[in-house]
Amino acid sequence: MKKILIANRGEIALRIMNTCHRMGIETVAVYSDADSDMPFVKAATYAFNIGEPAVNKSYLRSEVILEIAKNEGVDGIHPGYGFLSENADFARAVHEAGIIFIGPDPDTIELMGDKIVSRKTMMDAGIPVVPGSEEGTSTLEEAIRLAESMGYPVMLKASGGGGGIGMVRCENEQALAKSFGSTKARAKAYFGSEEVFVEKYINNARHVEVQVFGDDFGNIVHLYERDCSIQRRHQKVVEESPSPSLSDSAKQEMYDTAIRAAAAVNYKNAGTIEFIVDEQENFYFLEMNTRLQVEHPVTEQITGLDLVKWQILVARGEKLPQSQNDIQQKGHAIEFRLYAEDPKSFLPSPGKLEEFNWKEFPGVRVDAGYSSNSTVSPFYDPMIAKCIIYGNTRKESIEKAELFFSDLIIKGIKTNAPLFKEILKDSDFISGNYSTSFLTNKTLIIE
Ligand code: MV4
């Protein structure tokens, strides 16, 4: 490949371009009116305006983006995460235009996008899934019957959802009856399908995912796990690898299961198998993400590999560059997602970033889409940067993170950096003994 179009913005567009340029590949950026001064536009070899700030008038305009790709004669399109990255129709249109979609097969994207179908596929492949319905649950009576058979609380989820969108926890029959209609209506409005299903709610769970990679020759490897239990309203805030709580035997079993899950769909390119882990270390398949994830740098730091490079290599038909035995997990990485938000109310805080500076030292990696004087636009995700801190041990990486945040300078907008300082001092975080309830249960005292 000589030229790649990046159908995305911000930090991920910049991060993909960096790898392309290192590989001697030219890049094409597409950007909205709100983003003309962004670092990713300046970094690209070529850049094209695709419309107004609103995402449906720019970053989601697949025909416009594809037209530019054809005119520019690009060999591949990298979709990043979000936007068109898990849109099977877009991936098909890219292939039909004779361009390589840097990601899995469109049919796999489609299959995994339907959470009932993906659950069923995994059940049939002998992968443990959360106890719950085998098909969609169309009536409230059926939902109540299922909930009674497995016991409350249960989680009502939209089949078209994922990543925490369109799911609601129900404590008892009254709550389920109250939520059933509205969850279906919301599913219809958001995802175009009112299909919902019921799962047993796993209490005090951990959310652990395994990075997998496949090529055109049937090879599949895993690149270890990421613990993503620290979330707020299903927005991930901190991710780390290795997981600080899982036993070695549970981890090994999880890697093997993830590879079997990926093999069941003949998976190609980068993917992530999400598991929910209960207090007895039983783990269950939740969903598969068919894209490069936001938190992929955590995996890059502990394996020393460039996942975007791997994506490009396998997309152009090469074999995976390493076999399982060559892929080692070394040290400890923690990622902190820096958001432009009020740390007390968690409301977005867009505006001009008057100053954005930090001290570089070994073990610090900052993937930022913005720099000093950039403006954080209200039209997009308020994530400013990912701060990935690496150490030989978890303790060392926590100590380095404390140093990093004590020197971080951000002026002009509010961010969640104060939350990280509190998390780093928290005894449950330090012990590694935390679950998905961590941020819900804690009233962190922000200075
Ligand atoms: C669950 C769950 C417990 N039981 N499903 C949220 C993100 C999405 N990928 C899956 N998620 C969850 N699904 C069942 N059956 C717990 C989560 C979950 C979570 C729930 C509440 C608060 C924080 C959470 C963090 C990660 C996962």
Side-chain angles (χ1 to χ4, degrees):
M1 278 195 247
K2 291 194 174 74
K3 206 186 213 181
I4 289 175
L5 181 145
I6 296 97
N8 216 298
R9 65 181 297 283
E11 67 86 19
I12 195 63
L14 199 53
R15 188 260 162 276
I16 294 163
M17 286 174 195
N18 286 338
T19 289
C20 291
H21 296 160
R22 273 198 298 273
M23 294 172 77
I25 298 168
E26 288 190 319
T27 55
V28 178
V30 291
Y31 64 95
S32 76
D33 293 342
D35 283 344
S36 48
D37 292 328
M38 288 278 282
F40 79 94
V41 178
K42 293 174 187 152
T45 324
Y46 310 93
F48 295 88
N49 182 296
I50 50 166
E52 293 172 36
V55 294
N56 58 337
K57 296 197 165 161
S58 51
Y59 296 103
L60 293 179
R61 293 177 78 193
S62 46
E63 296 89 1
V64 172
I65 294 169
L66 201 49
E67 205 51 41
I68 293 170
K70 284 192 252 179
N71 289 341
E72 287 304 295
V74 307
D75 313 290
I77 296 183
H78 196 306
Y81 52 72
F83 297 130
L84 299 167
S85 62
E86 288 171 294
N87 184 321
D89 291 335
F90 177 67
R92 278 189 198 107
V94 172
H95 286 302
E96 276 156 24
I99 298 169
I100 296 170
F101 178 82
I102 303 173
D105 292 337
D107 291 349
T108 310
I109 298 176
E110 188 164 290
L111 187 151
M112 289 301 173
D114 184 320
K115 303 307 164 191
I116 292 174
V117 174
S118 68
R119 239 177 93 81
K120 185 83 168 51
T121 305
M122 291 305 156
M123 271 189 260
D124 292 347
I127 305 297
V129 301
V130 185
S133 41
E134 290 210 7
E135 313 278 339
T137 314
S138 46
T139 66
L140 174 62
E141 290 67 39
E142 202 183 331
I144 291 173
R145 218 179 317 115
L146 268 163
E148 263 167 18
S149 73
M150 56 201 172
Y152 288 94
V154 296
M155 194 83 130
L156 191 59
K157 300 186 174 184
S159 190
I165 310 164
M167 57 177 69
V168 52
R169 177 188 153 124
C170 304
E171 291 304 320
N172 49 44
E173 185 175 324
Q174 288 86 321
L176 181 57
K178 190 165 170 280
S179 292
F180 195 75
S182 58
T183 304
K184 280 179 81 157
R186 219 172 300 131
K188 178 84 185 150
Y190 283 27
F191 316 115
S193 154
E194 61 166 20
E195 267 212 302
V196 295
F197 62 105
V198 183
E199 273 181 8
K200 170 97 189 127
Y201 186 90
I202 310 292
N203 273 314
N204 296 321
R206 294 188 73 107
H207 188 270
V208 184
E209 58 190 29
V210 177
Q211 177 73 54
V212 294
F213 239 105
D215 65 17
D216 289 348
F217 306 91
N219 302 305
I220 295 173
V221 294
H222 73 78
L223 278 70
Y224 303 94
E225 79 281 15
R226 295 184 289 260
D227 196 314
C228 308
S229 302
I230 301 186
Q231 308 191 4
R232 211 196 135 269
R233 291 200 188 150
H234 301 306
Q235 179 93 275
K236 291 174 184 167
V237 180
V238 176
E239 303 102 346
E240 59 179 314
S241 186
S243 167
S245 74
L246 278 189
S247 67
D248 286 345
S249 60
K251 282 181 199 174
Q252 194 53 57
E253 207 183 314
M254 191 182 276
Y255 307 147
D256 296 344
T257 307
I259 288 188
R260 279 200 292 122
V265 293
N266 189 17
Y267 198 80
K268 291 172 192 135
N269 218 289
T272 300
I273 316 277
E274 285 188 6
F275 295 102
I276 194 101
V277 188
D278 72 14
E279 289 170 300
Q280 287 77 44
E281 288 200 331
N282 298 306
F283 59 83
Y284 309 95
F285 170 87
L286 271 185
E287 51 192 78
M288 178 171 200
N289 301 319
T290 56
R291 60 172 187 276
L292 181 72
Q293 287 194 211
V294 176
E295 60 271 29
H296 77 276
V298 166
T299 301
E300 296 189 317
Q301 298 312 93
I302 57 123
T303 58
L305 301 170
D306 180 339
L307 270 59
V308 173
K309 182 176 179 183
W310 278 38
Q311 284 194 290
I312 294 170
L313 295 179
V314 301
R316 68 183 188 203
E318 292 181 32
K319 278 193 176 149
L320 283 170
Q322 291 189 11
S323 61
Q324 192 66 64
N325 284 335
D326 302 326
I327 304 166
Q328 297 294 319
Q329 187 183 38
K330 185 170 169 285
H332 195 99
I334 312 178
E335 174 177 275
F336 302 85
R337 295 193 192 186
L338 194 60
Y339 289 106
E341 66 181 20
D342 186 317
K344 292 195 181 98
S345 67
F346 296 106
L347 290 171
S349 167
K352 189 169 177 205
L353 202 47
E354 305 285 352
E355 194 184 344
F356 183 29
N357 269 308
W358 60 91
K359 210 173 271 171
E360 291 281 357
F361 56 91
V364 170
R365 166 175 171 183
V366 178
D367 282 16
Y370 302 89
S371 51
S372 294
N373 296 315
S374 293
T375 297
V376 180
S377 157
F379 289 98
Y380 314 112
D381 184 281
M383 191 177 76
I384 307 168
K386 305 183 301 204
C387 313
I388 308 102
I389 314 293
Y390 178 84
N392 292 311
T393 60
R394 187 169 187 270
K395 184 165 176 285
E396 192 183 301
S397 117
I398 290 175
E399 286 163 3
K400 285 186 179 184
E402 286 187 306
L403 271 178
F404 175 84
F405 285 108
S406 68
D407 285 336
L408 178 67
I409 298 165
I410 305 169
K411 288 183 185 151
I413 55 170
K414 289 178 184 162
T415 75
N416 62 341
L419 175 67
F420 298 140
K421 292 189 181 182
E422 290 306 313
I423 291 175
L424 286 163
K425 276 192 284 189
D426 185 277
S427 59
D428 288 337
F429 179 75
I430 292 168
S431 71
N433 209 339
Y434 59 81
S435 77
T436 49
S437 326
F438 183 78
L439 286 184
T440 336
N441 289 352
K442 273 217 156 92
T443 338
L444 295 161
I445 301 120
I446 311 258
E447 63 213 30

